[in-house]
Amino acid sequence: MAQKRKRRGLSFYEEKKKIKPGFWKEVFSYIFYLFMVTLIAFVLVLVFGMRVSTIGVSMEPTLAHGQEVLINRMSYILFKPECGDIIAFKPNGNEKSHYYIKRVIAGPGETVQIIGGQIYVNEKPLEKYSYDRIETAGLAATPYLLGENEFFVLGDNRNNSEDSRSGNIGAVQRDDIVGRVWFCFAKDNIAMGFVK
């Protein structure tokens, strides 16, 4: 039997490197995971991460002027705003306006009135929040009945807030609500955390 002789010495031919079959699978796996992480991050920012700065002192002591908050834009697609929620909205749907941030006091079908500095919702005093006595009742000086998709909002700094009592804002339409404020960043004496 003849044995194959191995050549020794110089060779001008290089052996082609073979790519292992699992190499491309691993590359596509990394690309897929990178795509999924990017997609999830994008969705989370879209849903929970709209960042807005408060303007003015109307939400003190809860939020300070210039304090940045995160808005959940998806929260009101399935559920309606609840009494006590802090919302961001464009007044009268004005896209050129800055975002207003206020607290929901009453919702569709409810009646709001301010008598003697006290808020009444459906003729019952709103004792859930203890703020300064209201000096100006504005539109709520007489019973204010909210329509089907309307919400009555007030700033926590009741006597220094442009809100649903003002004629140029009035009741906020559900379609004008951008989302619920759920997180605030630290500023002045207000710590970073979830908004209540």
Side-chain angles (χ1 to χ4, degrees):
M1 274 196 195
Q3 287 184 345
K4 289 187 179 178
R5 287 174 51 196
K6 270 191 170 178
R7 286 190 189 177
R8 294 182 187 226
L10 293 174
S11 171
F12 294 102
Y13 299 100
E14 286 186 27
E15 249 184 70
K16 288 186 178 178
K17 292 183 181 178
K18 292 184 180 178
I19 296 174
K20 295 178 184 176
F23 174 77
W24 289 113
K25 186 177 179 182
E26 195 171 324
V27 167
F28 287 123
S29 172
Y30 282 126
I31 291 171
F32 174 76
Y33 287 127
L34 183 63
F35 173 76
M36 289 306 293
V37 167
T38 305
L39 180 67
I40 290 168
F42 175 76
V43 169
L44 287 175
V45 168
L46 180 69
V47 174
F48 299 110
M50 183 178 176
R51 199 169 180 159
V52 172
S53 293
T54 57
I55 296 175
V57 296
S58 69
M59 283 303 292
E60 288 184 353
T62 309
L63 300 170
H65 170 66
Q67 187 168 11
E68 292 189 329
V69 297
L70 291 180
I71 298 171
N72 179 342
R73 293 190 276 189
M74 300 297 284
S75 60
Y76 298 138
I77 288 178
L78 298 175
F79 306 102
K80 69 175 189 164
E82 301 276 329
C83 183
D85 287 357
I86 297 177
I87 63 168
F89 66 95
K90 293 275 191 171
N92 303 311
N94 183 355
E95 289 301 319
K96 294 181 181 178
S97 173
H98 64 84
Y99 291 100
Y100 278 55
I101 297 174
K102 307 292 178 192
R103 190 179 298 275
V104 175
I105 298 304
E110 295 184 308
T111 303
V112 178
Q113 188 172 10
I114 298 173
I115 304 169
Q118 171 69 44
I119 303 167
Y120 290 84
V121 177
N122 296 330
E123 299 180 358
K124 295 179 183 172
L126 185 69
E127 297 172 343
K128 195 172 184 178
Y129 310 105
S130 54
Y131 299 107
D132 293 339
R133 180 186 154 117
I134 297 172
E135 295 170 4
T136 306
L139 296 176
T142 58
Y144 192 103
L145 177 63
L146 295 166
E148 188 178 337
N149 290 306
E150 294 182 333
F151 295 86
F152 198 90
V153 298
L154 293 177
D156 287 355
N157 186 354
R158 303 283 196 241
N159 294 315
N160 196 356
S161 174
E162 185 179 31
D163 45 40
S164 290
R165 295 171 292 171
S166 307
N168 60 330
I169 294 180
V172 176
Q173 300 294 321
R174 184 169 181 165
D175 290 344
D176 298 337
I177 297 173
V178 178
R180 183 174 65 86
V181 175
W182 68 280
F183 190 84
C184 66
F185 295 93
K187 177 152 169 109
D188 298 336
N189 295 329
I190 301 170
M192 179 168 70
F194 296 99
V195 178
K196 295 179 183 177

